[in-house]
Amino acid sequence: MASEITYAEVKFKNDSSAPVVKGPPETKKPEQHPQKYPLWLPWLISLLLLLVCIALVVVLLDRGWTCCPKGWRRFQGSCYFLSTDKLNCVKSAQNCSGMGSQLVVISSKVEQDFLSEQTKQTPNRVNFYIGLFEDKVGQWQWVDKTPYNVTAAFWREGEPSPGHDENCTVIYVSEPTLNNWNDVKPNTQHHRICEAAAVIV
């Protein structure tokens, strides 16, 4: 008996005579998000922070790095002490020297304005010795030998008095104007203003 032969047709997937070449795997593209701020904004913030830092350094160098002893008042590059007790002219000068300072030498209108305001602060006082003396009749001299300039002086009207018996100078607090210097006798007791250079740390 003859055996029966059965044929079947079989198909294979991707059956091809050409070799299959695989390419690189596809990379997933990052999702695009809309930008929330302009590109220049971080640069602007950085610049502003830098300017703030520079401003702080300038302020600290101007104010924070100079100091005065307790009870003294700072203005520009100097420290000022306004006494509450009274001494005569010579002892006032000695007292300031003993504190490493001198009776104040007023060299500008802004300094005169500052001191005039300070003398009006509480407690109420009347006269303050400053470092201006009459060396010879009509010849005024600052305690530190700074040349006396009559155009930068702040005498009250009618001052200084003629003669040589009033050869020390005070700021007369009751005078409402900046011209408040008054010459007085050296043995009279008044308050004093001492001046020292501010300490730089």
Side-chain angles (χ1 to χ4, degrees):
M1 187 172 178
S3 61
E4 230 176 82
I5 298 175
T6 306
Y7 292 95
E9 190 176 315
V10 179
K11 289 187 178 180
F12 295 97
K13 198 172 182 181
N14 291 332
D15 184 20
S16 124
S17 57
V20 176
V21 179
K22 291 186 176 180
E26 284 188 29
T27 56
K28 191 173 181 182
K29 291 183 180 178
E31 292 182 23
Q32 296 279 339
H33 295 289
Q35 197 165 352
K36 296 180 181 175
Y37 53 83
L39 288 173
W40 50 263
L41 188 60
W43 292 102
L44 179 63
I45 292 171
S46 299
L47 179 63
L48 289 174
L49 287 173
L50 178 64
L51 292 174
V52 167
C53 288
I54 290 171
L56 284 173
V57 167
V58 169
V59 167
L60 287 175
L61 286 176
D62 181 50
R63 295 183 183 173
W65 295 93
T66 58
C67 58
C68 294
K70 186 176 180 181
W72 293 58
R73 301 168 195 193
R74 186 173 67 84
F75 179 71
Q76 295 180 337
S78 294
C79 301
Y80 301 90
F81 175 77
L82 283 75
S83 74
T84 52
D85 64 322
K86 295 180 179 181
L87 295 171
N88 66 31
C89 188
V90 173
K91 287 187 177 176
S92 290
Q94 290 170 346
N95 179 264
C96 290
S97 296
M99 293 191 292
S101 62
Q102 64 186 16
L103 283 172
V104 65
V105 174
I106 301 171
S107 57
S108 67
K109 183 179 182 294
V110 291
E111 186 178 23
Q112 169 71 7
D113 188 37
F114 168 77
L115 292 172
S116 295
E117 286 302 314
Q118 295 302 309
T119 60
K120 290 175 172 53
Q121 306 297 320
T122 54
N124 294 335
R125 290 160 283 185
V126 180
N127 292 326
F128 287 85
Y129 278 117
I130 63 174
L132 184 61
F133 303 93
E134 189 177 31
D135 191 31
K136 296 177 182 176
V137 177
Q139 294 184 4
W140 293 88
Q141 179 69 53
W142 287 105
V143 67
D144 68 347
K145 306 303 180 190
T146 297
Y148 170 72
N149 182 356
V150 70
T151 61
F154 299 93
W155 293 106
R156 292 176 66 208
E157 189 174 344
E159 300 292 337
S161 305
H164 192 60
D165 59 331
E166 295 183 352
N167 58 358
C168 290
T169 308
V170 295
I171 287 179
Y172 180 67
V173 178
S174 299
E175 172 62 48
T177 70
L178 276 186
N179 292 336
N180 56 17
W181 295 358
N182 200 78
D183 59 342
V184 295
K185 295 180 179 178
N187 58 348
T188 55
Q189 294 196 348
H190 299 293
H191 303 288
R192 63 200 167 278
I193 303 175
C194 302
E195 178 183 16
V199 177
I200 300 172
V201 292

